Amino acid sequence: MERTDDLKEKREALASALGRTDALMDDFLSVLKQDFGPGNKSSRDFSSVAEKILPDEEPEPETRNNREPEDERFHMSYEALCSDAMGCTRCQLCKTRTNVVFGIGCTDRPVVMVIGEGPGENEDLQGLPFVGKAGQYLDRWLAAISLSRDTNVYITNTVKCRPPQNRDPFPDEKSACFAYLKQQIQLIRPQSILCLGRPASTLMTGQADSSMGALRGRFFFFDGIPMMCTYHPAAVLRDLSLKRPVWEDLKKLAKYLGLAPAGGSNG
Ligand code: URA
């Protein structure tokens, strides 16, 4: 019996590792296709790929870290950080908020940490992230890859207070709030990160000028944690043609994590 369990565990670990390798191969092949287009293998000159791998100068890493050790929030426990946020006046959003929306879900090594843009009206009223229409849609995406905010997901936002009229958070608001997010990541230690929409994706990748089309569907690393970017559920509700790319991105993340898609599409 013990031997069967052991074998099962080993098989699961192997399947998960193979999934990761396969996802990396997909990425590698797409680089090759971009660089050379379809064509005869023998005519391919791999020197530009070699240059990318071994550049003359150190490339800008796609990993973000830049923790400012002097910020007192980097020394706080999860509970202290949350209670600090409840009284935060570091930016102007504190003047118009009803509630601070800190985060919800699994706080100990969740499989995925979801990062949205900022609380909307319902979230501001309830003090909880993604509880409106976009949140219900997000829950369906998560369920489609066997994830749930009730068990193995943590959900938060780039800013913890609602921007008036649901405008995008301003850069100074995001940077005032960024230490909360970084310390949440440090304390919660998610196995992966999923950024929803452009404000979260540009902040977390450090690629401020990139479009969502350029950032989605790729793996980045934040503090060594694998990170995927995709469209925001609210954007998909406005433009249903984004459903397919989101589903592709979710499947890629699920494969990397060794998760079984629950079947069907993200509807
Ligand atoms: N949109 C977001 O980005 N975050 C929320 O919490 C709700 C809607």
Side-chain angles (χ1 to χ4, degrees):
M1 184 64 187
E2 230 170 65
R3 215 182 102 67
T4 319
D5 284 352
D6 191 37
L7 197 60
K8 190 168 166 251
E9 218 169 84
K10 279 189 185 146
R11 277 211 192 101
E12 279 169 6
L14 179 63
S16 160
L18 289 172
R20 273 174 226 172
T21 314
D22 197 28
L24 282 174
M25 281 304 292
D26 283 350
D27 273 358
F28 184 56
L29 287 173
S30 74
V31 168
L32 288 183
K33 275 187 210 140
Q34 271 169 30
D35 280 356
F36 303 108
N40 173 341
K41 197 170 180 234
S42 62
S43 71
R44 288 175 178 175
D45 172 5
F46 284 82
S47 54
S48 72
V49 173
E51 259 165 42
K52 271 189 195 157
I53 296 167
L54 291 173
D56 288 340
E57 286 174 23
E58 276 288 296
E60 268 292 300
E62 290 202 324
T63 297
R64 296 208 76 205
N65 179 334
N66 60 10
R67 292 162 52 79
E68 302 92 34
E70 68 278 8
D71 193 309
E72 71 271 17
R73 287 172 286 181
F74 294 133
H75 302 285
M76 291 180 184
S77 66
Y78 185 83
E79 291 69 27
L81 193 69
C82 182
S83 90
D84 185 278
M86 296 302 144
C88 181
T89 54
R90 288 177 177 86
C91 83
Q92 59 187 339
L93 295 181
C94 68
K95 296 186 197 140
T96 47
R97 73 179 176 224
T98 311
N99 284 295
V100 173
V101 180
F102 190 67
I104 194 172
C106 170
T107 53
D108 182 20
R109 295 245 346 113
V111 178
V112 177
M113 177 170 183
V114 175
I115 303 177
E117 178 179 330
E121 188 180 12
N122 292 302
E123 291 76 18
D124 175 60
L125 291 173
Q126 294 185 42
L128 295 168
F130 281 100
V131 288
K133 237 176 153 189
Q136 288 158 23
Y137 193 29
L138 169 65
D139 284 340
R140 280 166 50 202
W141 293 5
L142 296 175
I145 52 169
S146 311
L147 295 170
S148 158
R149 67 170 85 195
D150 297 330
T151 53
N152 51 10
V153 173
Y154 183 82
I155 305 180
T156 190
N157 283 300
T158 61
V159 291
K160 312 303 188 213
C161 300
R162 182 190 181 200
Q165 279 80 50
N166 296 346
R167 63 160 169 75
D168 283 2
F170 293 148
D172 65 312
E173 295 161 353
K174 283 195 283 186
S175 60
C177 221
F178 200 24
Y180 286 122
L181 189 54
K182 285 194 275 188
Q183 186 64 354
Q184 279 173 305
I185 293 169
Q186 188 72 9
L187 293 165
I188 293 169
R189 299 179 306 125
Q191 295 169 48
S192 68
I193 295 172
L194 177 64
C195 300
L196 300 178
R198 195 164 175 272
S201 302
T202 53
L203 176 76
M204 295 301 289
T205 58
Q207 300 199 6
D209 299 326
S210 295
S211 67
M212 214 39 241
L215 294 173
R216 64 153 282 261
R218 294 164 56 192
F219 281 104
F220 294 86
F221 286 88
F222 185 92
D223 267 358
I225 302 167
M227 181 167 77
M228 170 69 72
C229 302
T230 198
Y231 294 103
H232 194 286
V236 185
L237 287 170
R238 285 192 301 267
D239 176 359
L240 294 180
S241 73
L242 302 177
K243 252 163 83 168
R244 182 177 290 273
V246 166
W247 182 230
E248 278 165 16
D249 300 344
L250 292 176
K251 277 195 295 186
K252 201 167 183 180
L253 180 65
K255 191 170 173 184
Y256 183 88
L257 293 167
L259 297 169
S265 77
N266 66 325

